[in-house]
Amino acid sequence: MAAPLVAAAMLSLASVPASAGAVRDVQTEALSNRLFPLLGALGQDTSAMAALMARPEVAAMLRARQERREACAADLGCLAQAMIWTPAESAALSGAAVKPANLGSADDGTTAQAAREIAGVNAIVRTFGLGQVPAYPQIDGAGTIDPQEARARLQAAAWLAQTPRASSVQALDPSIEFALALLDGSDRTDAIGFEPLLGGLNAPAMKRAKSLDWKRYRYSAMIVTGVGPEVDDMAVSPFGKYHLRLAASRFAAGDVPFIIVTGGRAHPRATRFVEAEQMRKALIERYGVPAEAIVIEPYARHTTTNLRNATRLLMAMGAPLDKDTVIVCNPGQSASIESPAFVQRNLAELGYQPGQVGRRVSPTELEFRPSPQSARIDPRDPLDP
């Protein structure tokens, strides 16, 4: 019976053109929309992309970039370097960029958002394509891999950058697709692991937030920062377990409606555990905290983005931003967050302050007033945009 079925299948395949054109890749599309919302939306607005490419200064710049890539021939290292956007090229594209019809406004404008996304492309190519040491080498980048594997990832990214994908911006420039393929080839698609973020594990808390009387509570939320393990196959670090005990005790006081647990898949590098997910599980199973009182923020990889991403969730929940939150963590991390050095770290890593650190409540508790600037999308850290 198998032979006729195989024959029928082959006949069916024979009717398909050798190249059916651009196909939809839902994973790459989701990653593109998450990391590069403006560029991703541009790929879905062909008239806006055509208008951008028709600008003389943009057309000349794109032509020069193409010639630079073509000059590399089969040299993959040269090709990866040619994908990098120079400051002048970035300025030419971002200065001419228009907001696609299907994209909301960036809080600081289309030009600034486009420049950040191009910087994100450069960060991915340098880290995952050229092997540049990232700012946090213990958790970022591809790590130490065999040269043959590194070449295979570059070659696959080069091929994928030229293989049509529906709703992409390949017609504009292949570097965006090249960067996305480098992340995919390194199995680092962390940034879309929990989408839609307001559903799934967060659905019970989001439903409760819609009818919550925020005035009943002293704080809009408790933010429990991440402190990931450095041991393989460890779900929650020893410090993380301390954070959980602190959080459960603080929640029992009754003046906080939600616990936001924040931490991604960061420590150790490429761990299979997502810290926020594991903290939620422990709060429910060990301490009896109800699921509708817990919000996970599963993407942050640093203390700066713990606070930024927690603020984004508060905005999505409809929490009043003129109300303080309380940060709960170990005394050392708490002191670090309170320090002037943390202010400078925010400026260096985010370009702004995700909020204002306020009064110290205890050695393990700090008040924190969130800032709406945290809504800004910044893909310079490709795993925690």
Side-chain angles (χ1 to χ4, degrees):
M1 291 294 293
L5 290 175
V6 171
M10 294 304 292
L11 283 172
S12 176
L13 286 172
S15 66
V16 177
S19 176
V23 294
R24 188 180 180 197
D25 178 342
V26 293
Q27 177 166 290
T28 301
E29 183 178 307
L31 194 62
S32 176
N33 290 339
R34 178 94 165 99
L35 298 182
F36 309 119
L38 189 151
L39 294 172
L42 195 62
Q44 299 166 32
D45 187 341
T46 53
S47 60
M49 185 160 64
L52 176 61
M53 294 173 66
R55 296 277 295 266
E57 71 278 16
V58 173
M61 177 270 294
L62 293 177
R63 208 162 37 245
R65 284 180 56 79
Q66 181 179 351
E67 291 169 358
R68 189 165 75 226
R69 293 190 301 271
E70 290 174 347
C72 291
D75 187 334
L76 291 172
C78 173
L79 178 64
Q81 185 61 52
M83 293 286 183
I84 297 293
W85 292 76
T86 68
E89 290 167 350
S90 174
L93 187 71
S94 57
V98 295
K99 186 176 78 68
N102 54 341
L103 180 72
S105 298
D107 66 340
D108 58 348
T110 301
T111 297
Q113 181 60 42
R116 281 196 296 273
E117 293 185 19
I118 293 169
V121 171
N122 283 352
I124 295 169
V125 174
R126 287 184 176 123
T127 303
F128 291 88
L130 295 171
Q132 179 175 301
V133 178
Y136 296 90
Q138 297 87 352
I139 63 171
D140 290 336
T144 303
I145 58 174
D146 182 85
Q148 187 173 350
E149 174 64 16
R151 179 177 175 80
R153 294 181 188 184
L154 273 176
Q155 181 63 81
W159 283 335
L160 282 164
Q162 298 298 331
T163 304
R165 177 178 68 82
S167 300
S168 79
V169 286
Q170 288 162 301
L172 175 73
D173 191 272
S175 60
I176 298 91
E177 202 70 13
F178 185 76
L180 292 168
L182 284 173
L183 284 181
D184 194 11
S186 296
D187 196 24
R188 299 315 305 263
T189 56
D190 308 28
I192 55 172
F194 286 83
E195 297 303 305
L197 187 55
L198 304 187
L201 297 179
N202 282 337
M206 293 300 160
K207 180 179 179 180
R208 177 171 170 246
K210 290 180 180 178
S211 58
L212 187 75
D213 181 3
W214 298 93
K215 296 185 180 67
R216 289 182 51 204
Y217 298 92
R218 179 180 178 184
Y219 299 109
S220 61
M222 179 196 321
I223 300 173
V224 183
T225 54
V227 54
E230 299 300 344
V231 178
D232 288 337
D233 283 330
M234 179 180 284
V236 180
S237 73
F239 277 16
K241 292 175 181 178
Y242 175 52
H243 285 195
L244 291 171
R245 180 78 61 84
L246 291 173
S249 299
R250 188 67 184 75
F251 183 73
D255 61 354
V256 176
F258 296 104
I259 302 174
I260 301 177
V261 286
T262 171
R265 186 166 74 96
H267 294 266
R269 182 200 308 277
T271 176
R272 63 190 175 92
F273 294 110
V274 175
E275 190 175 8
E277 183 180 29
Q278 295 301 316
M279 288 196 289
R280 176 188 185 270
K281 179 181 178 183
L283 284 171
I284 294 171
E285 294 181 356
R286 294 179 61 159
Y287 295 103
V289 177
E292 60 267 25
I294 306 172
V295 179
I296 68 164
E297 188 297 297
Y299 296 128
R301 298 161 58 76
H302 312 289
T303 308
T304 52
T305 51
N306 283 153
L307 302 184
R308 179 198 68 183
N309 294 1
T311 297
R312 290 176 178 175
L313 280 169
L314 286 167
M315 286 188 278
M317 296 164 71
L321 294 188
D322 59 353
K323 196 177 187 71
D324 285 337
T325 64
V326 60
I327 302 170
V328 172
C329 58
N330 67 78
Q333 192 176 36
S334 186
S336 174
I337 292 171
E338 191 181 31
S339 72
F342 189 68
V343 173
Q344 295 306 311
R345 185 178 165 192
N346 280 317
L347 290 175
E349 295 182 13
L350 305 178
Y352 58 87
Q353 301 301 320
Q356 179 66 45
V357 175
R359 183 176 66 95
R360 174 165 292 287
V361 180
S362 76
T364 59
E365 298 178 354
L366 278 173
E367 291 182 343
F368 176 73
R369 180 68 60 89
S371 167
Q373 279 190 318
S374 293
R376 187 174 299 166
I377 299 295
D378 187 347
R380 285 177 294 184
D381 182 339
L383 305 181
D384 178 15

